[in-house]
Amino acid sequence: MKRQIPLIIIMTLGFMFVAHSFIPHKISADFFDWFQDWVKAISPFAVSLGVISLFMVNGTKISRKVPNWQYSVITLAGLVFTALAGFIWGTQSGTPYMWLFENVQMPMSATMFALLAFYIASAAYKAFRARSAQATVLLLAAIIVMLGQVPLGAMISKWIPETSKWILNVPNLAAKRAIMIGVGLGMTATSLKILLGIERTYLGGGD
Amino acid sequence: MNKKTIKFFDKIQNIDRRYIYIVVALAIIFPLLIPFNSPTYVTKPTEDIYKKIDSFSGDKSKAVLLSFTHDASTMPELFPMEVSVLRHCFERDIKVFTICWIPAAAPLVDYAINTAKEDFDVQSGIDYCNFGYKPYALRLPIMLGMGDDIAKAVETDSQGRKIENLEIMQDIKNYDDMNLVVDFAASGSAIQWITYARAKFGANIAAGVTAVMVADNYPYLQTGQLMGMFRGLKGAAEYEKLVDVFASYKSEDHPHGRPFSKEIIDQTRVAITGDAVPYKYKKARIGMNAQSVAHIMMIFFILIGNIGYFITRKKVGGKHV
């Protein structure tokens, strides 16, 4: 029963959603409205679950003094302080919550993302080599697209942005589209396997 | 080739990566600290978004929805786009709605609106409306629901007010009226808008994405499913220029901005070194200076690395090293 009931729920709701997408009938629309209300009711519980889980995981780390437990203290302090700032003073401009966002979260997040530039530059220098014909094509394409992205490319020659556009519009597009079609077919096949109960690994266990 | 040259290339082949980091840092920091004027060439995907939004000018029965699906980490690329679009809407008296799907984007929406509205006499609920944060789990029902009735699908705005009671909602019912959705994301989230809002209700969809996501979105741009796209910081810089040249243009003949003209945009150079354009409206163009220098430097690194590679390979008898 532990496996059969979830399977029945998934198959029933799954096929109802497939039907909803293809049958524009009142019953289908009413079912969708009913589903919307359920999703709205369930969503807050998911947030609560996340917060409880975060407290439990980090609380355990702190109480057991595992290596780097200090980071868990900062995580929990950040969560509590930011939430309190939002609840007490609101989230509008000029409040402590917005101050935290503008002066802590924003620069820290941007810094983490900006580190990518350093890694890419280093990797490009160390690994981007014309070792074979394919690697040479990749190298040339990268240089043209990089130049085409900045004003200097157009200043050198109007053909650089045009060639960059061609690379993105033709070879890139062909490869992307092939990948997307493959992914789409794979998703359809997996979805059907789940709906028909053939794929059951998401329930846990191996069969 | 003499020994000295071979030794030099041998050495730079194994250069400590920290030196590369220093050069990258300097290449980015200096152009940001000392802005210089460089041309901004406007491309079609950005131009198409501008023209579409501009076609709503002063029309109270049309609106634009800005969807935020990113956090602060990608702000340097996406924020200038968002501020520019909001500025365009406020300049041209276009109704604009905002919505976000991740909690970290909620303060970002406020920040973008507050940044843009400082220079305009606009009011929440009348000229613009922030629908606020809606959980990602509700994304699909809301996307589909807005095709029938926005007020019913969204219900309340970020301040808890009933959407249906707001003045801005007059003449705005569904995607027929809120006819353009611009999705700002560091992922492929525009695809969902294409799948549901466009395929089912015919809404126009545009995307504002980080440069690394541009290639992923190209298939939709080519098919016309995306009517336009901001391609990373370059797209943001292009839009900043478009708003400067047309929407913000003031003269006796054009007190509320002038209409788009391909000829004018191609010929106009907007100086970013003086105080004529406020810093917040030229951030992307200053950033493009840094990106230009960084790209040139990276190309230089790649070339040097390859020259060193071929010289070293020659030394060991043409074998791959």
Side-chain angles (χ1 to χ4, degrees), chain A:
Chain A
M1 288 298 274
K2 259 171 125 179
R3 286 180 157 265
Q4 281 149 340
I5 291 174
L7 266 176
I8 291 166
I9 294 171
I10 286 160
M11 286 171 78
T12 315
L13 284 173
F15 279 111
M16 283 170 87
F17 271 103
V18 172
H20 165 76
S21 301
F22 293 101
I23 305 168
H25 190 270
K26 193 186 174 302
I27 297 172
S28 168
D30 288 346
F31 160 70
F32 188 73
D33 286 343
W34 170 81
F35 159 76
Q36 257 182 298
D37 292 338
W38 269 98
V39 173
K40 283 176 193 168
I42 292 166
S43 293
F45 287 99
V47 176
S48 313
L49 202 67
V51 172
I52 292 166
S53 169
L54 195 75
F55 266 103
M56 282 173 72
V57 171
N58 287 285
T60 313
K61 280 184 184 172
I62 295 166
S63 64
R64 290 185 187 165
K65 293 266 191 305
V66 297
N68 301 321
W69 62 272
Q70 295 88 341
Y71 295 126
S72 295
V73 176
I74 294 169
T75 304
L76 292 183
L79 174 73
V80 172
F81 193 71
T82 311
L84 282 178
F87 283 130
I88 297 170
W89 293 287
T91 59
Q92 297 306 305
S93 179
T95 57
Y97 178 85
M98 264 320 251
W99 186 90
L100 278 170
F101 175 74
E102 285 171 29
N103 298 289
V104 181
Q105 195 192 355
M106 218 168 76
M108 279 169 72
S109 301
T111 304
M112 289 304 291
F113 195 66
L115 289 177
L116 259 182
F118 294 91
Y119 296 135
I120 290 172
S122 169
Y125 179 69
K126 300 261 177 190
F128 228 160
R129 299 282 186 265
R131 291 176 210 277
S132 62
Q134 291 95 321
T136 311
V137 171
L138 187 70
L139 193 70
L140 288 173
I143 290 174
I144 292 167
V145 171
M146 277 170 76
L147 274 177
Q149 183 73 10
V150 293
L152 183 80
M155 286 161 84
I156 295 169
S157 163
K158 69 179 174 109
W159 293 106
I160 291 178
E162 286 302 315
T163 314
S164 164
K165 210 160 81 181
W166 180 86
I167 290 168
L168 287 167
N169 265 328
V170 183
N172 162 69
L173 209 65
K176 282 281 169 203
R177 205 160 270 160
I179 294 167
M180 282 161 66
I181 292 169
V183 170
L185 289 172
M187 277 168 65
T188 311
T190 310
S191 304
L192 275 173
K193 278 166 79 178
I194 291 171
L195 285 181
L196 297 169
I198 301 164
E199 169 66 53
R200 298 179 186 187
T201 46
Y202 62 91
L203 291 170
D207 62 327

Side-chain angles (χ1 to χ4, degrees), chain B residues 254-268:
Chain B
H254 303 287
H256 305 294
R258 57 180 164 178
F260 175 84
S261 153
K262 185 74 184 155
E263 210 171 62
I264 293 173
I265 197 69
D266 285 345
Q267 288 169 359
T268 310

Side-chain angles (χ1 to χ4, degrees), chain B residues 228-249:
Chain B
M229 178 163 67
F230 293 113
R231 299 178 298 171
L233 196 64
K234 182 176 158 59
E238 290 170 8
Y239 209 86
E240 279 182 355
K241 184 185 174 185
L242 282 164
V243 177
D244 272 348
V245 174
F246 300 113
S248 297
Y249 180 82

